[in-house]
């Protein structure tokens, strides 16, 4: 698979870590019965979801987590219903992304990982990303 062949880190694991941290770091208010989320974790998961929405050109999807025995822990789910308050499966595994979609996801997850590693918010990162021979592994629509 493309992810593991060209990179020393596992982006699937990093994505799952971000999703897990987001869920673990929420606070339950016993008075209201509602959850509140850590703003840093919220920004990280929001950025991650925005990346996949751009890649898939679909505004009502987000990352989800499958059950332990489903074959792949990370999925994409579609937000449906009047207020996008219901979810339905969209893609049961990130292994079902095309090679070009996987390559783009890998590039941007790498950027998120560096931001996380240096305890920076993505809005604080400045720089230029240079991709050599992008046409070698991206679909024409993603170039």
């Amino acid at each position: 698979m493309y992810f593991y062949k060209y990179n020393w880190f596992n982006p699937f694991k990093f994505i799952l870590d971000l999703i897990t941290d987001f869920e673990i770091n929420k606070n339950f208010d016993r008075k209201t019965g509602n959850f509140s989320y850590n703003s840093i974790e919220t920004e990280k998961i929001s950025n991650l979801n925005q990346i996949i929405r751009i890649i898939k050109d679909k505004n009502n999807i987000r990352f989800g987590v499958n059950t332990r025995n489903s074959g792949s822990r990370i999925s994409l789910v579609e937000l449906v219903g009047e207020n996008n308050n219901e979810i339905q499966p969209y893609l049961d595994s990130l292994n079902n992304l095309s090679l070009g979609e996987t390559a783009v996801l890998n590039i941007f997850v790498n950027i998120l990982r560096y931001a996380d590693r240096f305890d920076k918010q993505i809005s604080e990162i400045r720089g230029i990303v240079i991709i050599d021979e992008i046409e070698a592994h991206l679909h024409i629509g993603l170039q």
Side-chain angles (χ1 to χ4, degrees):
M1 172 185 277
Y2 180 82
F3 268 145
Y4 305 111
K5 185 175 178 184
Y6 295 107
N7 291 291
W8 59 269
F9 91 103
N10 181 338
F12 285 178
K13 182 184 178 315
F14 182 73
I15 291 169
L16 186 59
D17 286 348
L18 285 180
I19 295 168
T20 304
D21 287 350
F22 177 72
E23 290 299 326
I24 288 173
N25 291 318
K26 64 184 174 186
N27 299 311
F28 182 69
D29 184 339
R30 293 183 191 275
K31 291 179 183 176
T32 64
N34 295 323
F35 287 99
S36 63
Y37 294 90
N38 175 308
S39 63
I40 293 171
E41 299 302 330
T42 301
E43 181 180 0
K44 289 176 187 177
I45 202 73
S46 177
N47 289 328
L48 184 63
N49 284 324
Q50 188 60 28
I51 290 166
I52 199 64
R53 288 176 181 140
I54 291 169
I55 290 170
K56 295 300 288 178
D57 195 24
K58 193 163 179 68
N59 289 326
N60 65 332
I61 59 172
R62 67 170 176 80
F63 284 95
V65 178
N66 287 328
T67 58
R68 189 171 49 256
N69 297 321
S70 65
S72 176
R73 293 293 290 189
I74 307 167
S75 65
L76 294 178
V77 295
E78 187 172 14
L79 306 171
V80 296
E82 269 184 45
N83 299 315
N84 283 341
N85 56 353
E86 298 173 35
I87 61 171
Q88 67 184 26
Y90 178 73
L91 199 63
D92 64 347
S93 169
L94 293 186
N95 292 325
N96 294 333
L97 292 171
S98 72
L99 185 60
E101 291 169 335
T102 302
V104 172
L105 180 63
N106 189 19
I107 290 166
F108 286 101
V109 168
N110 238 326
I111 293 169
L112 287 178
R113 182 178 61 92
Y114 281 111
D116 187 59
R117 188 172 170 195
F118 295 107
D119 204 24
K120 300 278 186 193
Q121 294 186 14
I122 198 75
S123 58
E124 296 176 289
I125 295 178
R126 300 285 181 256
I128 298 171
V129 176
I130 299 173
I131 304 169
D132 188 25
E133 297 183 17
I134 195 151
E135 69 280 355
H137 49 220
L138 291 184
H139 185 275
I140 192 98
L142 294 172
Q143 292 181 15

